[in-house]
């Protein structure tokens, strides 16, 4: 760099205006950090107390009783204000405590406010209280990597997204060795309580930690976190205790804003089908909320596909002696046909474009994929157990993995054993693209789950869609509708009579249809000429009018796609005001549970689906929620994931509006513009649309 250039740059950087617009902080960030979320009424009192509510019951799994004998006895706790406590109460409430907190699993917007509220409540009770943050997730507990959180550090992260304050990690405390190290860490730090912020697996960990450390007097409280929205809790009578985990609303709004932008783009240049894959491995809550937020033309809901029944196959089985098992479940082939139908119908009215939303785990509910996952997971788990080795380390290449599976099938056939992988499996597997074969044989995640986020779900589905569209294009089932006025104008401009050519070119010309469809027999310029010659509109030696050729070429759709994945961007988004308020009150709930002596409880807000004035902070016992589930080829006691309820008002609304949002009719599409995430304002959204609809659906008018 020359001396003159260096002098210029240094002078530029020295200007106050340059420094002002390039500093990390900015007015919007400052506004976020200084915002104080409203508190539930109960937290406006200086002191709170918990009381068990016997009205809420849980169906306890026998295995939970065996493994968590102390924690299954817990009851739902209501948090109540106490205005005139006695001296013993206030002394216990205000005694010095050391509380540890850890983030576990993927980030979710709002987590910092759990820490901020816990910090505020703890310091208000006793300025000498200490809040310790375990760094990098559960590894921080195992390895005693901890930092004391100061007011300055907490204030720097208030109302901000991500888990940057103490980071996060995906390690599970799932072995006796890890449990012993964690217990040792908590005892060395003289912890009174440990707070675990995470999803279903993390709260499962919290229950086991609570059981393990109960004798040491160390309390453990869980906090429901996951953008997937699959941590939802009901009691044995179906009453909603926790309607949604935190972070869901922000992620859904973040995805929706971006997908809405694609809807606007689609409506502008009418050129692409935008294929939008959104996070959601097991549950399609995010896809459902995105559909409500954007009115995308098509949205797949995994739980809906899982319940699909082929009526034709079922009817055929009733007239034969065979059981109609094949009628149940969605196949890849049929799914591609469903998508193609929507594409073809929109093209018929001139819309060779659209927006399709796909949950990342949709392939998990596809019939043949389910079979492959179960069989391959069993084969891999059995190999690891039998050979005391790691399948994925032993067989690095796809070819080697497939050779082992096929050799195993051959040996089992020879021995007359259970044929877990047969020739039919081999044929179906060979039909799948190689990259997806590799995906099915990839290493499972830390929880033993198939990693759908690593598979190009959209590529698998849209590959089959494109193949079928090519077939439909040849049979003229897939044609771009031609606007009648455009056709008339173009032919008249070139001196050609549109009335003479119309009935010859189009199958619906006499129907007064707004969009005209080329006749089925016209599939090429050659058949176009034959039709025109047969109608005696041109002679054998004459050229086809240029306007007619242009109309034909315009009727042949060019299917173009743009693929998008929405996941990590939503996890790191700045939280909505709803999530800021929700998580702050969760943090206050955590402290109330700790000072009451609770352990093995999940902090939650009941009535989350209702107006803020009706929110009720509670503690939900974790152990009674747990059940046995297959993990890594073995049964394990875990917290159950909550899937989309196909009987819920929210899903039924989406189902009712599918045809409207597909907009396979002339005119504008019915897109909804949710707008960007804002932090304040009278028009800011107060809660997820899913929750609003489910609450409205509980009214007497709807129930009746």
């Amino acid at each position: 760099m020359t001396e003159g250039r260096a002098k210029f740059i240094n002078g530029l950087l020295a200007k106050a205006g340059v420094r002002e617009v390039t500093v990390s902080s900015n007015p919007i960030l400052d506004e976020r950090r200084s915002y104080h979320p409203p508190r539930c009424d109960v937290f406006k009192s200086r002191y709170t107390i918990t009381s068990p509510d016997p009205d809420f019951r849980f169906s306890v799994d026998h295995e939970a009783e065996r493994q968590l004998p102390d924690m299954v006895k817990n009851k739902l706790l209501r948090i109540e204000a106490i205005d005139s406590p006695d001296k013993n109460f206030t002394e216990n409430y205000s005694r010095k405590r050391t509380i540890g907190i850890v983030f576990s699993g993927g980030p979710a917007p709002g987590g910092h406010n759990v820490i901020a509220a816990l910090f505020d409540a703890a310091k208000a009770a006793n300025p000498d209280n200490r809040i310790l943050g375990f760094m990098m997730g559960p590894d921080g507990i195992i390895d005693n990597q901890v930092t004391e959180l100061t007011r300055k550090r907490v204030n720097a992260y208030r109302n901000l997204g991500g888990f940057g304050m103490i980071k996060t990690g995906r390690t599970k405390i799932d072995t006796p060795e890890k449990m012993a190290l964690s217990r040792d860490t908590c005892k060395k730090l003289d912890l009174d309580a440990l707070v675990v912020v995470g999803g279903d697996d993390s709260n499962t960990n919290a229950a086991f930690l609570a059981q393990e450390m109960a004798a040491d007097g160390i309390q453990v409280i869980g906090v429901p976190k996951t953008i997937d929205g699959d941590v939802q809790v009901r009691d044995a009578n179906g009453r909603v205790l926790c309607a949604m985990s935190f972070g869901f609303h922000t992620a859904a709004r973040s995805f929706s804003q971006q997908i809405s932008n694609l809807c606007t783009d689609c409506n502008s240049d009418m050129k692409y089908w935008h294929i939008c894959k959104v996070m959601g491995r097991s549950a399609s809550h995010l896809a459902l909320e995105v559909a409500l937020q954007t009115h995308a033309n098509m949205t797949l809901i995994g739980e809906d596909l899982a319940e699909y029944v082929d009526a034709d196959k079922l009817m055929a089985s009733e007239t034969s002696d065979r059981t109609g098992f094949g009628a149940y479940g969605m196949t890849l082939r049929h799914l591609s046909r469903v998508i193609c139908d929507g594409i073809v119908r929109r093209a018929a009215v001139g819309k060779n474009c659209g927006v399709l939303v796909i949950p990342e785990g949709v392939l998990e509910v596809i019939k043949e994929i389910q079979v492959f996952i179960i069989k391959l997971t069993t084969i891999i788990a059995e190999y690891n157990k039998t050979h005391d080795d790691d399948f994925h380390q032993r067989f690095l290449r796809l070819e080697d993995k497939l050779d082992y599976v096929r050799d195993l099938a051959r040996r089992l056939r020879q021995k007359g054993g259970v044929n877990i992988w047969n020739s039919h499996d081999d044929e179906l597997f060979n039909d799948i693209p190689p990259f997806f074969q590799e995906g099915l044989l990839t290493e499972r995640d830390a929880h033993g789950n198939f990693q759908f986020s690593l598979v190009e779900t959209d590529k698998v589905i849209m590959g089959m869609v494109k193949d079928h569209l090519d077939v439909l294009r040849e049979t003229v089932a897939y044609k771009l509708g031609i606007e009648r006025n455009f056709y008339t104008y173009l032919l008249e401009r070139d001196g050609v009579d549109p009335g003479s050519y119309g009935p010859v070119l189009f199958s619906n010309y006499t129907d007064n249809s707004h969009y005209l469809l080329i006749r089925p027999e016209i599939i090429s310029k050659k058949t176009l000429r034959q039709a025109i010659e047969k109608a005696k509109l041109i002679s054998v030696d004459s050229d086809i009018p240029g306007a007619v050729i242009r109309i034909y070429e315009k009727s042949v759709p060019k299917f173009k796609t743009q693929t998008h994945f929405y996941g990590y961007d939503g996890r790191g988004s700045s939280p909505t005001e709803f999530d800021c308020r929700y998580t702050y009150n969760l943090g206050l709930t955590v402290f109330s549970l700790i000072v009451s002596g609770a352990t093995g409880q999940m902090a939650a807000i009941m009535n989350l689906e209702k107006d803020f004035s009706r929110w009720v902070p509670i503690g939900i016992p974790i152990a009674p929620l747990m059940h046995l589930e297959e993990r890594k080829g073995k049964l394990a006691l875990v917290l159950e994931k909550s899937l989309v309820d196909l009987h819920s008002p929210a899903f039924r609304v989406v189902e009712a509006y599918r045809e409207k949002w597909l907009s396979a009719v002339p005119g504008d599409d019915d897109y909804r513009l949710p707008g960007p995430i804002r932090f304040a304002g009278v028009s800011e959204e107060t809660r997820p649309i899913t929750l609003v609809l489910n609450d409205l659906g509980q009214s007497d008018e709807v129930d009746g």
Side-chain angles (χ1 to χ4, degrees), residues 48 59 97 102 133 148 239 274 330 418 437 465 471 582 651:
T48 59
S59 299
R97 289 179 171 84
V102 64
E148 182 165 359
R239 289 181 291 184
H274 291 284
M330 178 71 70
V418 177
Q437 291 179 351
V465 167
V471 174
Y582 180 19
F651 174 76

Side-chain angles (χ1 to χ4, degrees), residues 273 298 337-347 662 664:
W273 268 92
M298 285 190 279
R337 302 308 189 259
V338 170
I339 296 172
C340 284
D341 180 66
I343 292 171
V344 168
R345 290 180 58 204
R346 281 180 58 82
L662 178 63

Side-chain angles (χ1 to χ4, degrees), residues 109 247 463 487 702:
Y487 160 75
V702 174

Side-chain angles (χ1 to χ4, degrees), residues 51 93 100 130 197 317 323 451:
S51 61
Y93 196 96
R130 302 172 68 212
V197 182
S317 69
T323 305
Q451 300 188 72

Side-chain angles (χ1 to χ4, degrees), residues 4 38 44 106 126 271 283 287 300 391 423 446 449 472 480 488 504 544 553 599 617 648 662:
K44 294 175 182 178
N126 185 332
K271 188 176 182 181
L300 304 181
F391 178 85
S423 56
N449 298 319
L472 295 177
L480 188 62
T488 301
V504 177
I544 302 174
E553 290 176 340
T599 189
S648 68
L662 178 63

